[in-house]
Each structure stands twice: as C-alpha cells, then as structure tokens.
C-alpha cells in the first residue's frame, strides 16, 4: 500500500510562513485527488485544502483561503501546502491524504493518511 511521508512542519511566529511537503511511495497517487487536513488538540480533524489528480480545482477551507496554497507535482509524487500569514489558530498536526476518487478529497473519502507533521504558531 502507498505510504505518505510529510515534512516541513515546525515552529514559527505569527505572520510567518511554512511549506509542507508530502511524498508518496507510489506513482499510483497521480490518479487520485490529494489534500491536507489538520487536527488541533481536543478538536476533530478538519479539511484544509484539496486538489484533483491534475493539480487543478483547488479547494480550501474558509479559515485558510487566501493564505494557504496547495499544489502537486505528479512527476515527484508530491503534494505541497504553502502556508503564509500563519496565525496561532493554525497550530495543529497537519496530515496529508489521498482520496478515493480523482476529483476531490473530503474527510469521508480518504483512502490513505500520512503520519502527520506538527505546525506550531506562536503569538
């Protein structure tokens, strides 16, 4: 089964930027939508951003729209999340996910999760 490995998390001050990467162990993910989710302590895991198999039709949660950008490079089996203007409310473990379909990924349609990477934003 495909393995997803996230990297790029860390600690940053409010207003800063981070770029998360998620590398897949198999090229099969190039046929699937991929996305990013996050889970803060005591809260449910929530959708952050998703993109279709071609890297188009990017979708974002209202809380990150205009600050985060999702992209993918199928030649590298990698999806990225560029995060700017970070806020303390963005503090969470961020998870990469592969969807079951090619078009979109949602909380209930995830086929595979990554192990997560911690993002901490201080005020």
């Amino acid at each position: 089964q495909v393995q997803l490995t996230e990297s790029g998390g860390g600690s940053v001050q409010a207003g800063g930027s981070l770029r998360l990467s998620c590398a897949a162990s198999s090229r099969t993910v190039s046929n699937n939508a991929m996305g990013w989710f996050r889970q803060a302590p005591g809260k449910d895991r929530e959708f952050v951003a998703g993109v279709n198999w071609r890297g188009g039709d990017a979708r974002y949660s209202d809380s990150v729209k205009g600050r985060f950008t999702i992209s993918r490079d199928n030649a590298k089996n990698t999806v990225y999340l560029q995060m700017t203007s970070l806020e303390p409310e963005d503090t969470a473990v961020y998870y990469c996910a592969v969807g079951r379909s090619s078009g979109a990924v949602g909380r209930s349609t995830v086929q595979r999760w990554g192990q997560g990477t911690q993002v901490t934003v201080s005020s």
Side-chain angles (χ1 to χ4, degrees), residues 10-122:
S11 297
V12 65
Q13 290 191 327
S17 300
L18 285 173
R19 188 195 195 203
L20 305 183
S21 299
C22 171
S25 61
S26 170
R27 293 183 61 83
T28 58
V29 301
S30 64
N31 298 317
N32 297 75
M34 296 188 72
W36 290 92
F37 294 74
R38 68 187 182 186
Q39 187 166 17
K43 295 187 177 181
D44 292 334
R45 192 171 298 187
E46 64 175 0
F47 172 82
V48 174
V51 67
N52 69 14
W53 71 282
R54 287 185 172 184
D57 193 25
R59 302 181 184 186
Y60 301 92
S61 67
D62 288 343
S63 61
V64 308
K65 198 172 297 181
R67 301 187 296 120
F68 291 10
T69 303
I70 187 172
S71 61
R72 67 187 294 170
D73 184 342
N74 285 341
K76 297 181 179 180
N77 303 327
T78 301
V79 64
Y80 305 96
L81 185 69
Q82 179 68 49
M83 306 185 293
T84 63
S85 301
L86 283 161
E87 304 168 351
E89 293 74 21
D90 296 316
T91 296
V93 177
Y94 283 71
Y95 296 90
C96 174
V98 179
R100 294 194 181 97
S101 73
S102 61
V105 58
R107 181 67 177 85
S108 62
T109 60
V110 171
Q111 175 186 149
R112 172 68 66 179
W113 294 100
Q115 84 287 353
T117 185
Q118 177 70 46
V119 171
T120 303
V121 184
S122 58

